[in-house]
Amino acid sequence: MPKFYVYITDRLHDSGILGFGHERVFSEIYDAESKDEVKKLVLEDFDYMPKVREKMTAKVPETERFITSIHELNDYWHNIWLTTHMCKECRNQYTKLEKSKFRTGGSTEFCSAECQKQFNMRFEVASVDSYNSATVYMITHRPTGKRYIGVTTRWIMQRWWEHIKAKSGSPFHQLVLASSITDFTFEILEVFKPSEHDPYAREAFYISKYNAVELGLNSVSGHMQE
């Protein structure tokens, strides 16, 4: 059965992009035999819409707030919307359709704008080679003994503060938010020049050494440079 990509825009909300456009309020993929069948399915899901208006024209009455776009998916667009990606920060899997449906934001390398922000805070946009030193650190949750290993080229206490304020949804940050700051210890494992050692490789070494994925709070065995 053919698949159709559907998105609905709200005429009353400006997207803010270059001063024009409308806010996209819904995205979904429907299995249907034709566009007419898709229109019926959309109206079932959005019974407050008087009809499915596919094109934005001067003839659209002001009372019709929502505009619906319907596109049959070929192989190319099927891959665009439904291919599974892995977030560069939290390593959770997502599709472009899910990002569109839930409007999580962020570039295509991240599942959300929050994850992209956290990743950039760790290493910013610049190459780690532009910094004088890198630090591998370990945060231990006292009540459970579970460890989190990280690496940063930023001021180390600033990195700790970023963890305290983060809302990425990762198991580690959820535990931080649910705990007292006194429940954690913060240790420096190694300091080195990024020009002499790969920070990501050193982080991965200590994550493996302390088995911080299976027995700790790391989600993955280290960040890969891509």
Side-chain angles (χ1 to χ4, degrees):
M1 182 177 292
K3 291 182 181 291
F4 293 85
Y5 171 61
V6 176
Y7 66 88
I8 300 174
T9 52
D10 185 348
R11 298 175 68 200
L12 297 187
H13 288 80
D14 193 313
S15 69
I17 302 174
L18 300 179
F20 61 87
H22 303 291
E23 181 180 4
R24 186 172 298 187
V25 295
F26 174 79
S27 298
E28 187 58 276
I29 289 179
Y30 287 92
D31 293 313
E33 293 293 349
S34 65
K35 277 191 175 184
D36 288 337
E37 185 178 343
V38 173
K39 292 178 183 179
K40 294 178 181 179
L41 294 172
V42 171
L43 287 177
E44 289 176 5
D45 289 340
F46 294 88
D47 55 6
Y48 53 81
M49 291 199 305
K51 66 181 299 183
V52 173
R53 177 79 68 173
E54 281 193 68
K55 294 184 179 179
M56 179 65 175
T57 69
K59 297 180 180 179
V60 177
E62 289 296 328
T63 54
E64 290 190 25
R65 176 173 176 176
F66 300 98
I67 305 297
T68 304
S69 297
I70 303 174
H71 305 279
E72 185 172 356
L73 293 184
N74 55 26
D75 289 341
Y76 173 78
W77 287 108
H78 185 279
N79 290 334
I80 290 292
W81 290 107
L82 298 178
T83 295
T84 300
H85 304 275
M86 181 176 290
C87 179
K88 200 172 180 179
E89 172 65 13
C90 71
R91 315 307 277 187
N92 286 331
Q93 293 186 334
Y94 62 93
T95 65
K96 188 174 179 181
L97 175 64
E98 290 170 333
K99 282 174 62 71
S100 179
K101 284 177 65 173
F102 301 109
R103 291 181 286 171
T104 57
S107 70
T108 55
E109 296 176 298
F110 301 92
C111 68
S112 65
E114 181 64 29
C115 271
Q116 182 172 0
K117 177 182 176 182
Q118 291 301 319
F119 183 89
N120 290 339
M121 286 170 65
R122 294 180 81 235
F123 292 102
E124 297 187 287
V125 180
S127 166
V128 293
D129 290 333
S130 64
Y131 295 86
N132 292 325
S133 64
T135 304
V136 180
Y137 59 90
M138 179 169 68
I139 299 172
T140 304
H141 184 234
R142 291 175 183 269
T144 63
K146 292 185 176 181
R147 301 181 175 100
Y148 175 87
I149 309 293
V151 63
T152 185
T153 54
R154 300 163 70 83
W155 180 46
I156 193 66
M157 292 311 297
Q158 181 179 356
R159 185 70 192 112
W160 176 220
W161 178 249
E162 290 165 356
H163 279 307
I164 295 173
K165 303 297 289 184
K167 297 179 180 179
S168 70
S170 70
F172 171 56
H173 287 144
Q174 288 179 342
L175 181 62
V176 171
L177 290 173
S179 305
S180 167
I181 192 173
T182 57
D183 288 339
F184 297 91
T185 60
F186 194 106
E187 305 170 60
I188 294 175
L189 300 178
E190 184 178 0
V191 179
F192 53 89
K193 293 182 178 180
S195 59
E196 297 177 354
H197 301 284
D198 178 1
Y200 301 94
R202 298 308 296 161
E203 177 191 41
F205 168 79
Y206 284 102
I207 289 175
S208 175
K209 177 179 178 179
Y210 290 99
N211 201 6
V213 175
E214 292 187 12
L215 301 180
L217 297 167
N218 285 81
S219 299
V220 295
S221 59
H223 285 75
M224 298 176 293
Q225 298 189 68
E226 301 179 9

